[in-house]
Amino acid sequence: MESKIEVLATVKVQHSDDLYKIVDCLNRTLKRDNLMFGLALDETDKRQAIFTIYRT
């Protein structure tokens, strides 16, 4: 069985130390709905974070 991950939305936001808490909460809550959330620092501007929503 093949697993395909689809990017639904991506947005840049100001980085905050607590952003990971929101992403963790969303992942725990919406995993059963086949949604996954990601957070990464922007490579060019470390003050920005990239928040991505995926369908799994």
Side-chain angles (χ1 to χ4, degrees):
M1 180 180 242
E2 190 175 311
S3 175
K4 183 176 179 184
I5 298 176
E6 173 187 6
V7 175
L8 298 178
T10 301
V11 65
K12 282 188 182 183
V13 295
Q14 179 130 7
H15 181 266
S16 166
D17 289 340
D18 288 337
L19 277 177
Y20 78 92
K21 293 178 184 178
I22 295 169
V23 173
D24 183 55
C25 180
L26 288 168
N27 279 324
R28 290 172 187 256
T29 306
L30 298 172
K31 175 174 42 176
R32 66 180 172 270
D33 295 325
N34 297 321
L35 294 173
M36 182 172 67
F37 302 86
L39 186 65
L41 281 178
D42 187 331
E43 291 292 323
T44 59
D45 184 356
K46 299 298 183 192
R47 295 173 298 174
Q48 296 286 309
I50 302 169
F51 175 73
T52 306
I53 304 170
Y54 305 93
R55 182 178 315 281
T56 59

